[in-house]
Coordinates of all heavy atoms in Angstrom, one line a residue:
R240 N -105.5 -30.1 105.6 CA -105.3 -28.7 105.2 C -106.1 -27.7 106.0 O -105.6 -26.7 106.5 CB -105.5 -28.5 103.7 CG -105.5 -27.0 103.3 CD -105.7 -26.8 101.8 NE -106.8 -27.5 101.3 CZ -108.1 -27.1 101.4 NH1 -108.3 -26.0 102.1 NH2 -109.1 -27.8 100.9
L241 N -107.4 -28.1 106.2 CA -108.3 -27.2 107.0 C -107.9 -27.2 108.5 O -108.1 -26.2 109.1 CB -109.7 -27.7 106.8 CG -110.3 -27.5 105.4 CD1 -111.7 -28.1 105.3 CD2 -110.4 -26.0 105.1
Y242 N -107.5 -28.4 109.0 CA -107.1 -28.4 110.4 C -106.0 -27.5 110.6 O -106.0 -26.7 111.6 CB -106.7 -29.8 110.8 CG -107.8 -30.8 111.2 CD1 -108.0 -32.0 110.6 CD2 -108.6 -30.5 112.3 CE1 -109.0 -32.8 111.0 CE2 -109.6 -31.3 112.8 CZ -109.8 -32.5 112.1 OH -110.8 -33.3 112.5
K243 N -105.0 -27.5 109.7 CA -103.8 -26.6 109.9 C -104.2 -25.1 109.7 O -103.5 -24.2 110.2 CB -102.7 -27.0 108.9 CG -102.1 -28.4 109.3 CD -100.8 -28.6 108.6 CE -99.7 -27.9 109.3 NZ -98.4 -28.2 108.8
K244 N -105.3 -24.9 108.9 CA -105.7 -23.5 108.7 C -106.5 -23.0 109.9 O -106.6 -21.7 110.0 CB -106.6 -23.5 107.4 CG -107.1 -22.2 107.0 CD -107.9 -22.3 105.7 CE -108.5 -21.0 105.2 NZ -109.3 -21.2 104.0
D245 N -107.1 -23.8 110.7 CA -107.9 -23.4 111.8 C -107.1 -22.6 112.8 O -106.1 -23.1 113.4 CB -108.5 -24.7 112.5 CG -109.4 -24.4 113.7 OD1 -109.6 -23.2 113.9 OD2 -109.9 -25.3 114.3
P246 N -107.5 -21.4 113.1 CA -106.7 -20.5 114.0 C -106.6 -21.1 115.4 O -105.5 -21.0 116.1 CB -107.6 -19.2 114.1 CG -108.3 -19.2 112.8 CD -108.6 -20.6 112.5
E247 N -107.6 -21.9 115.9 CA -107.5 -22.5 117.2 C -106.5 -23.6 117.2 O -105.8 -23.8 118.2 CB -108.9 -23.0 117.6 CG -109.9 -21.9 117.9 CD -111.2 -22.4 118.6 OE1 -111.1 -23.2 119.5 OE2 -112.2 -21.9 118.2
V248 N -106.4 -24.4 116.1 CA -105.4 -25.4 116.0 C -104.0 -24.8 116.0 O -103.1 -25.3 116.6 CB -105.7 -26.3 114.8 CG1 -104.5 -27.2 114.5 CG2 -106.9 -27.1 114.9
Q249 N -103.9 -23.7 115.2 CA -102.6 -23.0 115.2 C -102.2 -22.5 116.6 O -101.0 -22.6 116.9 CB -102.7 -21.8 114.2 CG -102.9 -22.2 112.8 CD -103.1 -21.0 111.8 OE1 -103.2 -19.9 112.3 NE2 -103.3 -21.3 110.6
T250 N -103.1 -22.0 117.4 CA -102.8 -21.6 118.7 C -102.4 -22.8 119.6 O -101.4 -22.8 120.4 CB -104.0 -20.9 119.4 OG1 -104.4 -19.8 118.6 CG2 -103.7 -20.6 120.8
A251 N -103.1 -24.0 119.4 CA -102.8 -25.2 120.2 C -101.4 -25.7 119.8 O -100.6 -26.2 120.7 CB -103.8 -26.2 119.9
I252 N -101.0 -25.5 118.6 CA -99.6 -25.9 118.2 C -98.6 -25.0 118.8 O -97.5 -25.5 119.3 CB -99.5 -25.8 116.6 CG1 -100.3 -26.9 116.0 CG2 -98.0 -25.9 116.2 CD1 -100.4 -26.9 114.4
K253 N -98.8 -23.7 118.9 CA -97.9 -22.8 119.5 C -97.7 -23.1 121.0 O -96.6 -22.9 121.6 CB -98.3 -21.4 119.3 CG -98.2 -20.9 117.9 CD -98.8 -19.4 117.7 CE -98.7 -19.0 116.3 NZ -99.3 -17.6 116.1
L254 N -98.8 -23.4 121.6 CA -98.8 -23.6 123.1 C -98.5 -25.1 123.5 O -98.4 -25.3 124.7 CB -100.2 -23.2 123.7 CG -100.6 -21.8 123.5 CD1 -102.0 -21.6 124.1 CD2 -99.6 -20.8 124.1
W255 N -98.4 -26.0 122.5 CA -98.1 -27.4 122.9 C -96.9 -27.5 123.7 O -95.8 -27.1 123.3 CB -98.0 -28.2 121.6 CG -97.9 -29.7 121.8 CD1 -96.8 -30.4 122.1 CD2 -99.0 -30.6 121.8 NE1 -97.1 -31.7 122.2 CE2 -98.4 -31.9 122.0 CE3 -100.3 -30.5 121.6 CZ2 -99.2 -33.0 122.1 CZ3 -101.1 -31.7 121.6 CH2 -100.5 -32.9 121.9
G256 N -97.0 -28.2 124.8 CA -95.9 -28.5 125.7 C -95.4 -27.3 126.5 O -94.4 -27.5 127.3
T257 N -96.1 -26.2 126.5 CA -95.7 -25.0 127.3 C -96.6 -24.9 128.5 O -97.7 -25.6 128.6 CB -95.8 -23.7 126.5 OG1 -97.2 -23.4 126.3 CG2 -95.1 -23.8 125.1
P258 N -96.2 -24.1 129.5 CA -97.1 -24.0 130.7 C -98.5 -23.4 130.3 O -99.4 -23.6 131.1 CB -96.3 -23.0 131.6 CG -94.9 -23.1 131.1 CD -95.0 -23.4 129.7
D259 N -98.6 -22.7 129.2 CA -99.8 -22.1 128.8 C -100.7 -23.0 128.0 O -101.9 -22.7 127.6 CB -99.6 -20.8 127.9 CG -98.9 -19.8 128.7 OD1 -99.1 -19.6 129.9 OD2 -98.0 -19.1 128.1
E260 N -100.3 -24.2 127.7 CA -101.1 -25.2 127.0 C -102.4 -25.5 127.7 O -102.4 -25.7 128.9 CB -100.3 -26.5 126.8 CG -101.1 -27.6 126.0 CD -100.3 -28.9 125.9 OE1 -99.2 -29.0 126.5 OE2 -100.7 -29.7 125.1
V261 N -103.5 -25.5 126.9 CA -104.8 -25.7 127.5 C -105.3 -27.1 127.0 O -105.9 -27.2 126.0 CB -105.8 -24.6 127.1 CG1 -107.2 -24.8 127.8 CG2 -105.3 -23.2 127.5
V262 N -105.0 -28.1 127.8 CA -105.4 -29.4 127.4 C -107.0 -29.5 127.5 O -107.5 -29.1 128.5 CB -104.8 -30.5 128.4 CG1 -105.3 -31.9 128.0 CG2 -103.3 -30.4 128.2
G263 N -107.6 -30.0 126.5 CA -109.0 -30.1 126.5 C -109.7 -29.0 125.8 O -110.9 -29.1 125.6
S264 N -109.0 -28.0 125.4 CA -109.6 -26.9 124.6 C -110.0 -27.4 123.3 O -109.5 -28.4 122.8 CB -108.7 -25.7 124.5 OG -107.6 -26.0 123.7
S265 N -110.9 -26.6 122.6 CA -111.3 -27.1 121.3 C -110.2 -27.1 120.3 O -110.1 -28.1 119.5 CB -112.4 -26.1 120.8 OG -112.0 -24.8 120.7
G266 N -109.3 -26.2 120.4 CA -108.1 -26.2 119.5 C -107.2 -27.4 119.7 O -106.7 -28.0 118.8
H267 N -107.0 -27.7 121.0 CA -106.1 -28.8 121.4 C -106.8 -30.1 120.9 O -106.1 -31.0 120.4 CB -106.0 -28.8 122.9 CG -105.0 -29.9 123.4 ND1 -105.5 -31.1 123.8 CD2 -103.7 -29.8 123.7 CE1 -104.4 -31.8 124.2 NE2 -103.4 -31.1 124.2
Q268 N -108.1 -30.2 121.1 CA -108.8 -31.4 120.7 C -108.7 -31.6 119.2 O -108.5 -32.7 118.7 CB -110.3 -31.3 121.2 CG -111.1 -32.6 120.9 CD -110.5 -33.8 121.5 OE1 -110.1 -33.8 122.7 NE2 -110.6 -35.0 120.8

Side-chain angles (χ1 to χ4, degrees):
R240 171 177 51 78
L241 291 174
Y242 274 122
K243 294 196 75 173
K244 183 180 179 181
D245 182 1
E247 292 190 43
V248 171
Q249 293 174 359
T250 299
I252 289 174
K253 290 177 183 178
L254 299 180
W255 185 275
T257 71
D259 296 323
E260 179 180 11
V261 183
V262 176
S264 67
S265 58
H267 185 272
Q268 183 61 38

